[in-house]
Amino acid sequence: MPNQAPILVTGGAGYIGSHTVRLLASQGRKVVVLDNLVYGHRGAIVDDGVELVVGEVGDQDLVRSLFAKHGFAAVVHFAAYAYVGESVTDPLKYYQNNTAEPIKLLQVMQEVGCRNFVFSSTCATYGVPEAVPIVESNPQNPINPYGRSKLMLEWVLADCERAWGLRSACLRYFNASGCSPDGRIGEDHDPETHLIPRVLMAVTGEIPHLDVFGTDYPTPDGTCIRDYIHVGDLADAHARALDHLAGGGDSVRCNLGTGVGVSVKEIIDAVEAVTGRKVPVKYGERREGDPPQLLADPRLAKEVLGWEAQHKDVRDMVESAWAWVDGPHKGHFPE
Ligand code: UDP
């Protein structure tokens, strides 16, 4: 491995962050997690060697002291709010937390000379795509403050590169799903808005039924199509991005998806096949701001990072998500 110096992972107690932390730790890397635990879970940090610091990304004294103590070679930045609907009603919360706070972190990085940054960006930066599959050069016209708060940080990173040589990997995730192979950590949002966990909640009776948002989209079965990507594959891409930057690679902005489109109805069918239970469903109106189809062209990540999704079958993805919901934690961390 090109670099064994410690890595700072912000938001490492969240869903994608915690899976990445486990992978990095399993690769023998020293990892320190900085998380305010607003949405993250203490119980998502399961490896003994990983230090969890509870605090804010924008607390410059704290971040400075962590750099002084550990001399991080790179930062992997997950810490963000990710509720699209809330970003519309409370945009300042999103611009503050997703754009302004990481700028304070970047100021410390500039000060101490740390120049490697892996950023959890999103396909929401594309807005309603002009064409699918989406290639990275497609226009980025986000349609909500969440997407804009993430895109703004992509711009900030590019400007920091020009000004002081920061190199970054902006990883634009599509729809994360699944849990760790041992079922110890998985997706636990409160509130939970994402499709796969909600279908599973409908199956277990945690919610009375699943609302399907729109059946009149211009897709083969009338429901929206998304690109579901396994959280373990996302974690792998972060590890590769760290190696790429540590090895002197150029900054990269790339999609992380499978390139396989799956409709809402196909997810429901997969859940019924995997669990052997009927999903109680109510078909309803479209949810505002949902593009009919989001699908990644994942070729750039393969070219630059040597990364390719290992889980491409939606049944695989649903089986993995079900292992967490049907496991000892029943889909929720204990604390
Ligand atoms: N969706 C749905 N019912 C739900 C949650 C989601 O029909 O309770 C649909 C949503 O309209 C979208 C797809 O499932 O077409 C994926 O939504 P999710 O919120 O998981 O991710 P997004 O693509 O919005 O980031």
Side-chain angles (χ1 to χ4, degrees):
M1 217 159 292
N3 200 327
Q4 286 300 315
I7 310 290
L8 176 65
V9 181
T10 74
Y15 175 41
I16 303 165
S18 61
H19 285 80
T20 303
V21 166
R22 283 194 78 187
L23 178 66
L24 297 178
S26 77
Q27 294 174 335
R29 307 191 209 220
K30 167 83 185 138
V31 177
V32 176
V33 170
L34 175 60
D35 198 301
N36 62 13
L37 296 184
V38 169
Y39 289 117
H41 303 276
R42 202 177 279 279
I45 307 294
V46 294
D47 296 293
D48 290 340
V50 174
E51 183 183 343
L52 169 64
V53 177
V54 180
E56 299 294 334
V57 164
D59 180 344
Q60 292 189 322
D61 288 340
L62 173 64
V63 172
R64 250 184 225 112
S65 72
L66 293 175
F67 268 98
K69 184 170 168 199
H70 300 284
F72 301 116
V75 174
V76 186
H77 176 63
F78 292 99
Y81 294 146
Y83 291 111
V84 169
E86 184 186 53
S87 81
V88 174
T89 54
D90 195 356
L92 295 181
K93 179 172 175 179
Y94 280 72
Y95 291 123
Q96 179 66 43
N97 194 60
N98 295 2
T99 317
E101 294 299 302
I103 288 174
K104 296 181 199 164
L105 165 67
L106 288 164
Q107 284 167 339
V108 177
M109 290 179 67
Q110 179 180 14
E111 201 178 289
V112 301
C114 178
R115 294 197 173 84
N116 293 339
F117 196 83
V118 178
F119 172 45
S120 86
S121 188
T122 167
C123 66
T125 60
Y126 294 113
V128 181
E130 284 174 5
V132 288
I134 301 171
V135 289
E136 288 78 358
S137 55
N138 270 21
Q140 286 177 293
N141 294 313
I143 56 170
N144 51 58
Y146 167 66
R148 284 190 278 273
S149 71
K150 290 280 187 170
L151 179 56
M152 280 162 67
L153 198 63
E154 286 201 8
W155 291 339
V156 169
L157 295 173
D159 287 336
C160 287
E161 174 154 22
R162 280 185 281 273
W164 50 275
L166 177 78
R167 281 172 317 123
S168 61
C170 295
L171 305 179
R172 298 175 187 154
Y173 318 150
F174 282 66
N175 291 57
S177 62
C179 76
S180 65
D182 61 5
R184 285 183 77 189
I185 59 171
E187 184 167 16
D188 182 10
H189 296 116
D190 184 18
E192 183 54 79
T193 60
H194 296 110
L195 179 65
I196 293 179
R198 285 193 71 81
V199 182
L200 295 174
M201 286 160 84
V203 145
T204 59
E206 196 173 331
I207 55 173
H209 62 265
L210 174 82
D211 287 303
V212 170
F213 301 139
T215 52
D216 59 349
Y217 282 99
T219 59
D221 67 19
T223 63
C224 285
I225 290 178
R226 294 288 179 273
D227 183 329
Y228 294 90
I229 173 81
H230 195 275
V231 68
D233 282 325
L234 290 180
D236 176 40
H238 290 76
R240 287 170 190 265
L242 280 170
D243 285 346
H244 171 79
L245 295 176
D250 290 338
S251 290
V252 56
R253 278 131 202 263
C254 61
N255 294 333
L256 297 181
T258 59
V260 179
V262 180
S263 74
V264 174
K265 278 192 179 153
E266 286 170 326
I267 293 286
I268 295 169
D269 291 345
V271 167
E272 292 188 340
V274 165
T275 64
R277 304 184 198 176
K278 189 91 192 125
V279 180
V281 174
K282 273 196 186 163
Y283 293 98
E285 295 302 306
R286 292 182 178 196
R287 182 172 71 177
E288 204 185 323
D290 271 341
Q293 208 178 145
L294 290 174
L295 188 59
D297 181 328
R299 283 176 300 178
L300 185 64
K302 186 169 185 183
E303 228 169 81
V304 179
L305 304 178
W307 174 88
E308 191 176 6
Q310 299 305 303
H311 302 260
K312 288 190 182 162
D313 182 351
V314 69
R315 214 180 142 130
D316 246 35
M317 229 84 77
V318 168
E319 262 168 17
S320 172
W322 178 236
W324 166 243
V325 172
D326 197 36
H329 292 316
K330 298 287 169 222
H332 299 290
F333 288 102
E335 90 271 14

